[in-house]
Amino acid sequence: MKNYRQLTKRSGRHRLGVFLNFIICFLMVAVASFTRDGKLMGHEFGADSQQVVSKNDTISRLADGEIIINTAAIGKDITGFGGTVPLEITIQKGIVKDIKALPNKETPEFFGRAKTLFNRWRGKTVAEASSMKVDGVSGATFSSRAIIGNMRAGLQVAAKQTEKKPLFADFDGSAKNLCGLAVALLAAIVPLFVKNRRYRTVQQVLNVAVLGFWCGSFLSWSAILGYMSNGMNVVALLLPLVLLIVAFIYPLFGKVNYYCNHVCPYGSLQELSGKCVRYKIKMSPKTVRVLNRFRKVLFAVLMLCLWTGVWADWVNYEPFSAFIFQSASWVVIAIAVAFAVLSTIVMRPYCRFVCPMGSLFKVES
């Protein structure tokens, strides 16, 4: 009983330690993303947080999610007493937040009366505002009609922008994505229950061929910084989400380095290359310790480069992107080929002694 309690305490401390390390990993990536891109999860901070992220003549989207409708183009045929009466309608979370009149040639006295109509729509949802029956202001009939017409036109545009999509509208149902998702799930689940060398070889071939060369799906510093900066549409990015879960959530349940050992396409490629040549260089324990120390120092230096912005572009030179060889630089391809060849005589050299992505996973474990 005493031994059982001691083991339980140790297990609890270990899980707490792994969880704290997970938080550390998250903060490391968050700081690097913010330093590089100035935003987290799609939200910008600071003086420029309200900058326009997309715009055309009618619709502008701000970084905080607000939608601004300009009716100048869509209401060009709607006139008041002195001409067109364009409006600027601000929509926030599906609600009419504000309405502003843009420059026009209406008589100020009469237009001032007509502007009181704005209060009828403010605070209403787009659906409520669209269905409202609004009468013109007595004594400012022409200006009122122009305002009402522009509001109707603007709310129609807003309704299309704020309408809810079906839950899986963004899901990529292509054969490539479905095959990649199937291979990722096989790698994530089957090795938990099946310990078979032949199956492992088959899985590694699938990882390289499907996840690597066909789908170009893998975890890299460039990818996770992008997800941290811009956020993730989990439906559209279901395949990368599976990879992230395997890499960062599995260790919380004792499956340390599971992604590196069972899923990573480049790790699989190195292990397959190693199976092609029986001879392996025998490294002394001292050499292995020195190389492990080199890996830690390299990781520390590269993280400082990310956090300070001195050389954040190193993330573009990880060998994973060589799978997308059509767009990869020759430097990346050369690095990937060099380590793949070296792996024929040294077991997974990049994974064991260099990989900054793997070093992040080791922090969690």
Side-chain angles (χ1 to χ4, degrees), residues 22-292:
F22 170 78
I23 299 299
I24 292 172
C25 287
F26 181 87
L27 292 175
M28 290 171 66
V29 176
V31 171
S33 297
F34 183 77
T35 302
R36 189 187 72 166
D37 302 326
K39 56 183 179 178
L40 292 173
M41 299 297 181
H43 298 284
E44 299 200 27
F45 301 87
D48 296 329
S49 62
Q50 295 296 311
Q51 71 180 19
V52 176
V53 295
S54 65
K55 180 177 181 179
N56 58 34
D57 291 339
T58 301
I59 306 168
S60 300
R61 290 181 179 273
L62 302 186
D64 64 357
E66 283 189 352
I67 299 173
I68 298 177
I69 310 294
N70 185 322
T71 67
I74 58 177
K76 62 183 179 181
D77 296 326
I78 304 171
T79 58
F81 186 78
T84 58
V85 185
L87 303 177
E88 184 180 89
I89 308 167
T90 301
I91 310 295
Q92 186 177 53
K93 296 181 179 179
I95 295 175
V96 180
K97 179 183 177 182
D98 196 16
I99 305 165
K100 294 180 181 178
L102 298 176
N104 59 68
K105 297 181 179 180
E106 296 296 283
T107 305
E109 179 184 352
F110 297 115
F111 189 68
R113 297 178 191 173
K115 284 172 62 178
T116 60
L117 291 173
F118 292 169
N119 293 326
R120 298 288 304 277
W121 292 290
R122 287 193 180 103
K124 300 290 193 301
T125 66
V126 172
E128 290 171 344
S130 299
S131 62
M132 287 173 56
K133 180 175 175 59
V134 179
D135 296 324
V137 176
S138 179
T141 305
F142 290 101
S143 295
S144 297
R145 288 178 180 175
I147 288 174
I148 293 169
N150 275 271
M151 280 299 301
R152 287 175 178 169
L155 289 170
Q156 287 179 357
V157 173
K160 294 179 181 178
Q161 297 298 313
T162 58
E163 64 182 0
K164 293 184 178 180
K165 297 179 181 179
L167 180 60
F168 291 98
D170 295 328
F171 179 70
D172 181 3
S174 66
K176 179 170 74 173
N177 189 64
L178 291 175
C179 287
L181 189 58
V183 170
L185 289 173
L186 285 173
I189 297 171
V190 175
L192 294 173
F193 307 99
V194 177
K195 309 296 181 183
N196 182 282
R197 290 185 178 181
R198 289 185 179 179
Y199 173 77
R200 180 173 176 81
T201 300
V202 171
Q203 181 68 62
Q204 289 172 336
V205 171
L206 290 174
N207 291 344
V208 173
V210 178
L211 293 181
F213 286 110
W214 192 16
C215 297
S217 294
F218 40 77
L219 294 183
S220 64
W221 269 98
S222 180
I224 64 170
L225 288 176
Y227 300 145
M228 181 65 77
S229 296
N230 304 308
M232 289 185 71
N233 181 332
V234 296
V235 175
L237 299 173
L238 192 56
L239 175 52
L241 179 64
V242 171
L243 303 184
L244 287 169
I245 289 173
V246 172
F248 291 102
I249 304 302
Y250 272 35
L252 297 177
F253 299 93
K255 301 301 178 182
V256 179
N257 294 329
Y258 190 95
Y259 172 83
C260 298
N261 294 329
H262 298 285
V263 185
C264 177
Y266 194 61
S268 297
L269 177 62
Q270 290 177 83
E271 190 163 332
L272 289 172
S273 299
K275 292 176 181 179
C276 297
V277 178
R278 290 186 177 181
Y279 171 78
K280 295 291 182 291
I281 294 176
K282 293 182 179 179
M283 293 185 290
S284 67
K286 182 179 179 180
T287 301
V288 173
R289 286 196 298 271
V290 170
L291 290 174
N292 283 328

